[in-house]
Amino acid sequence: EDQVTQSPEALRLQEGESSSLNCSYTVSGLRGLFWYRQDPGKGPEFLFTLYSAGEEKEKERLKATLTKKESFLHITAPKPEDSATYLCAVQARSGNQFYFGTGTSLTVIP
Amino acid sequence: EAGVAQSPRYKIIEKRQSVAFWCNPISGHATLYWYQQILGQGPKLLIQFQNNGVVDDSQLPKDRFSAERLKGVDSTLKIQPAKLEDSAVYLCASSRTSGRKWELFFGEGSRLTVL
């Protein structure tokens, strides 16, 4: 069964304090791994897609990496506006469904 | 490019009443998804359409939920009769493929409260 587990559930950081969010997955043939940001009362906003182990993507203070079993979302020198829930999802080659984890709620304190 | 449109944004109903949500995907996106997101949880797939055909509805509670996508564009998700545990945000998403690339785009969601 395809599964996505995210950790930690919640993370509080001081402004400027770098950290990483984890997404571990089991899927029968990975088509892609996706990171989303979700603000309260909003739909998830697409951040990155990673397709193969060793791939990395960057956007401003965020960097996503992928191995065969997990992905990390690294946040460098975060700012309060980075506070949000970060969701990870996987898509298997065998179907077109996207399976989501429960998310990591990030709070960045000024 | 216009995003995924959903309505209504908010709905409050009594249990056993019915409700319908509407979604208009991004133009040209053949695949449309309905997700249920309960507070504090990740989105859970309810149903997936490819054009106007159902690809996956294995997690749709078919005794009370129904969905259709007429003409392969707009979609409607209906709940009848609603239960307290149906209180959630209902997210519509659409996707396209470009070569090997799949990208999933979400609407703002419809928040349902069942009293």
Side-chain angles (χ1 to χ4, degrees), chain B residues 49-65:
Chain B
F49 292 95
Q50 179 77 17
N51 296 307
N52 59 350
V54 175
V55 173
D56 183 357
D57 64 357
S58 57
Q59 298 194 76
L60 186 74
K62 297 181 185 65
D63 58 335
R64 298 182 300 106
F65 286 65

Side-chain angles (χ1 to χ4, degrees), chain B residues 23-36:
Chain B
C23 172
N24 181 245
I26 293 172
S27 178
H29 283 197
T31 310
L32 184 148
Y33 309 75
W34 282 102
Y35 283 87
Q36 179 192 59

Side-chain angles (χ1 to χ4, degrees), chain A residues 7-25:
Chain A
S7 62
E9 287 186 13
L11 183 62
R12 288 172 65 90
L13 299 173
Q14 290 292 135
E15 185 172 1
E17 179 188 1
S18 301
S19 187
S20 296
L21 282 54
N22 177 264
C23 171
S24 62
Y25 63 91

Side-chain angles (χ1 to χ4, degrees), chain A residues 19-36:
Chain A
S19 187
S20 296
L21 282 54
N22 177 264
C23 171
S24 62
Y25 63 91
T26 54
V27 65
S28 50
L30 180 72
R31 172 175 279 157
L33 185 140
F34 304 79
W35 282 99
Y36 287 82

Side-chain angles (χ1 to χ4, degrees), chain A residues 31 34 36 38 40-46 49 51-52 55 87 91 95-103, chain B residues 9 33 35 37 40-43 45 48 50 55-56 59 91 95 100-108 111:
Chain A
R31 172 175 279 157
F34 304 79
Y36 287 82
Q38 187 172 27
K42 302 279 189 179
E45 176 189 345
F46 172 77
T49 311
Y51 294 100
S52 56
E55 190 173 359
L87 294 165
Q91 186 185 31
N96 301 333
Q97 298 88 343
F98 291 76
Y99 298 101
F100 282 82
T102 54
Chain B
R9 287 294 316 277
Y33 309 75
Y35 283 87
Q37 188 174 26
Q41 299 183 18
L45 179 68
Q48 177 186 340
Q50 179 77 17
V55 173
D56 183 357
Q59 298 194 76
L91 294 164
S95 72
R100 64 189 282 253
K101 295 184 179 179
W102 287 72
E103 295 179 348
L104 187 67
F105 296 91
F106 284 88
E108 295 288 343
R111 181 179 297 276

Side-chain angles (χ1 to χ4, degrees), chain A:
Chain A
E1 181 182 314
D2 299 336
Q3 263 191 319
V4 180
T5 303
Q6 292 188 247
S7 62
E9 287 186 13
L11 183 62
R12 288 172 65 90
L13 299 173
Q14 290 292 135
E15 185 172 1
E17 179 188 1
S18 301
S19 187
S20 296
L21 282 54
N22 177 264
C23 171
S24 62
Y25 63 91
T26 54
V27 65
S28 50
L30 180 72
R31 172 175 279 157
L33 185 140
F34 304 79
W35 282 99
Y36 287 82
R37 170 190 171 128
Q38 187 172 27
D39 292 297
K42 302 279 189 179
E45 176 189 345
F46 172 77
L47 292 174
F48 304 111
T49 311
L50 301 165
Y51 294 100
S52 56
E55 190 173 359
E56 298 182 353
K57 293 274 180 73
E58 284 189 67
K59 180 180 180 180
E60 296 181 354
R61 295 176 292 283
L62 300 176
K63 178 180 176 180
T65 62
L66 180 65
T67 71
K68 288 186 178 179
K69 293 185 178 180
E70 58 190 350
S71 175
F72 291 93
L73 185 64
H74 306 278
I75 303 176
T76 302
K79 297 182 177 182
E81 53 261 43
D82 295 322
S83 297
T85 295
Y86 291 86
L87 294 165
C88 170
V90 297
Q91 186 185 31
R93 283 206 194 95
S94 60
N96 301 333
Q97 298 88 343
F98 291 76
Y99 298 101
F100 282 82
T102 54
T104 293
S105 175
L106 173 67
T107 303
V108 182
I109 305 160

Side-chain angles (χ1 to χ4, degrees), chain B residues 81-105:
Chain B
K83 292 185 175 181
L84 296 177
E85 58 261 36
D86 298 332
S87 294
V89 176
Y90 291 87
L91 294 164
C92 180
S94 68
S95 72
R96 63 179 176 190
T97 56
S98 176
R100 64 189 282 253
K101 295 184 179 179
W102 287 72
E103 295 179 348
L104 187 67
F105 296 91

